[in-house]
Amino acid sequence: MSGQNDRRSAPGSLSDGVYEHIYKAISAGEWTVGAKLPTEVELAVQFGVSRPVVREAMVRLRIDGLIESRQGAGTRVISVPSRSVVEFAEPGSIADLQRCYEFRVGVEGEAAFVAAQRQSRAKITEILAIVDKLRIAALEERDIPAEDDIAFHVAVAEATENSYYFSSVKAATVALYIGTKIARTLAHSTVGRIALVYEEHRLIAEAISSGDAESARSAMRAHIESARRRVFVGA
């Protein structure tokens, strides 16, 4: 990675570049679990960026559960992400995919909240029908089709009867599709894990249908956070 090119990049992309490089290096086994990373100063020199840029990237890696820092002991790798993320994501888009999950937690959590308040029975009937499709797929096909997963989230947005939620969720469906495809390639996508994914959707739909707005929001936020961990950490 060229330091000169980094300096010409927008500030936001500097930490993205450092984050993605370290993420890929850990994924590829260049740094294994327990390995100590270079210091912030050393990484800043290596990438030709400032220490605050490196620090921002490291904070995001810690949030992802890939590294941990201890006073006097430095920063070590504590988890190795799936290489499927690198294989499926567009070059330079891993950081964007992460940000999309962050965005979805807030927006879709509130969409579920509003959908539960609106109580549009026609829209809720559609949500429940999709959940039933997910149940059948989980039982008979041992899979959750990406298209049905996306349809569920879009249906929840539609149930808000607010076009801004619908437009926002639709805009995130590309990242949602990539994330779902990655999750389906992982060796740990067992029958039990697929059943868990179905259960997360069922809980959201149940809360929306019953008008429990707080539970709907909590269930949706928990589902998206779990989806992010499944994709990036394999947890």
Side-chain angles (χ1 to χ4, degrees):
M1 180 179 299
S2 168
Q4 183 178 6
N5 288 339
D6 285 346
R7 293 187 183 98
R8 288 201 299 264
S9 302
S13 68
L14 294 177
S15 62
D16 287 355
V18 175
Y19 165 88
E20 189 158 325
H21 184 95
I22 296 174
Y23 184 100
K24 288 180 176 179
I26 295 173
S27 176
E30 294 179 29
W31 286 311
T32 57
V33 171
K36 186 175 180 180
L37 297 184
T39 65
E40 285 184 2
V41 173
E42 291 169 335
L43 288 171
V45 171
Q46 178 181 340
F47 294 113
V49 298
S50 65
R51 286 186 65 185
V53 167
V54 172
R55 192 171 300 121
E56 181 181 343
M58 301 295 270
V59 166
R60 287 161 63 189
L61 290 163
R62 278 194 290 273
I63 291 173
D64 291 347
L66 301 183
I67 64 173
E68 69 174 7
S69 300
R70 293 184 179 178
Q71 187 70 31
T75 300
R76 295 184 182 278
V77 175
I78 59 173
S79 179
V80 177
S82 168
R83 297 193 66 174
S84 294
V85 176
V86 176
E87 293 167 2
F88 275 86
E90 293 288 333
S93 69
I94 293 176
D96 281 341
L97 192 57
Q98 281 279 21
R99 277 195 292 267
C100 186
Y101 275 96
E102 292 176 359
F103 168 81
R104 290 180 58 213
V105 167
V107 171
E108 295 198 49
E110 290 308 305
F113 182 93
V114 174
Q117 289 183 320
R118 289 283 189 270
Q119 283 298 290
S120 171
R121 297 320 301 181
K123 300 296 185 184
I124 289 174
T125 296
E126 182 179 347
I127 292 171
L128 294 174
I130 294 170
V131 169
D132 197 47
K133 286 182 67 176
L134 296 179
R135 179 185 63 81
I136 293 171
L139 288 173
E140 297 182 359
E141 302 174 25
R142 302 293 190 265
D143 195 10
I144 298 290
E147 294 77 9
D148 291 339
D149 196 331
I150 292 170
F152 173 85
H153 290 273
V154 171
V156 171
E158 287 181 322
T160 67
E161 298 185 331
N162 182 322
S163 62
Y164 286 96
Y165 282 115
F166 175 74
S167 298
S168 296
V169 172
K170 283 288 286 184
T173 55
V174 172
L176 200 164
Y177 182 78
I178 292 172
T180 304
K181 296 292 283 185
I182 291 170
R184 291 174 69 190
T185 68
L186 302 181
H188 57 253
S189 290
T190 61
V191 172
R193 191 167 293 274
I194 290 168
L196 176 61
V197 173
Y198 159 71
E199 181 66 10
E200 290 171 3
H201 287 86
R202 188 193 67 78
L203 288 173
I204 296 165
E206 184 178 273
I208 291 174
S209 181
S210 65
D212 188 342
E214 289 291 349
S215 292
R217 176 164 55 196
S218 296
M220 179 65 87
R221 290 176 65 93
H223 164 58
I224 296 174
E225 286 287 7
S226 294
R228 185 191 68 80
R229 287 193 298 272
R230 282 190 286 267
V231 169
F232 287 94
V233 186

